[in-house]
Amino acid sequence: MMKRFILVIIMMISTLGVYSFTSNALDAKKTSYASYYHDKFNGRKTASGEIFDNSKFTAANRTLPFGTNVKVTNLRNGKEVIVRINDRGPYHSSRSLDMSKAAFDEIGDINRGTIPVEYEIVD
């Protein structure tokens, strides 16, 4: 009986430990580069089914769930913006986010194609 009780306690601790590790890994800040959508994509359907609008604060990411709000910080000037993930991409290995032109312009210079960013999931 005592062995069974100890085994249950060990299983509970292991489960909680794995859960806390994975949730912290998802919530961690990440650094990468961000780019912005070209105007030719305005009005086209995104992977989530929404119609893309370059004037809204949205972004594409390869793995984050649709609807996830992400705080993006420009590492050059410290400016921040919150975007909602509604598309998949970018498909360039050095970038993690494709942002709408409005969101990119809020924190960076659209005359530059990419900017170094730090991003994290927000509630």
Side-chain angles (χ1 to χ4, degrees):
M1 182 68 178
M2 185 62 147
K3 287 182 184 180
R4 205 177 273 170
F5 177 73
I6 292 173
L7 182 62
V8 169
I9 296 295
I10 291 172
M11 288 174 50
M12 288 174 49
I13 292 171
S14 297
T15 303
L16 292 174
V18 168
Y19 172 76
S20 66
F21 176 75
T22 56
S23 65
N24 287 340
L26 289 175
D27 295 341
K29 292 181 180 179
K30 297 178 179 83
T31 58
S32 184
Y33 284 86
S35 56
Y36 65 92
Y37 281 87
H38 190 277
D39 289 332
K40 72 180 181 182
F41 293 105
N42 210 35
R44 293 187 184 178
K45 250 188 194 179
T46 64
S48 67
E50 289 181 38
I51 302 299
F52 177 69
D53 184 347
N54 237 341
S55 65
K56 293 184 177 178
F57 287 17
T58 59
N61 180 272
R62 289 184 292 275
T63 57
L64 293 173
F66 296 138
T68 301
N69 289 320
V70 178
K71 181 172 75 170
V72 183
T73 305
N74 182 335
L75 293 177
R76 287 192 180 125
N77 61 20
K79 292 183 178 180
E80 299 175 346
V81 68
I82 295 179
V83 295
R84 184 177 47 80
I85 302 299
N86 72 339
D87 202 4
R88 291 291 171 235
Y91 297 105
H92 191 279
S93 61
S94 69
R95 296 191 300 262
S96 293
L97 294 169
D98 264 341
M99 299 169 61
S100 66
K101 199 177 234 181
F104 191 94
D105 192 39
E106 187 80 10
I107 63 171
D109 180 7
I110 58 173
N111 293 319
R112 292 180 170 234
T114 62
I115 52 174
V117 295
E118 177 179 81
Y119 64 101
E120 65 180 314
I121 297 171
V122 294
D123 294 328

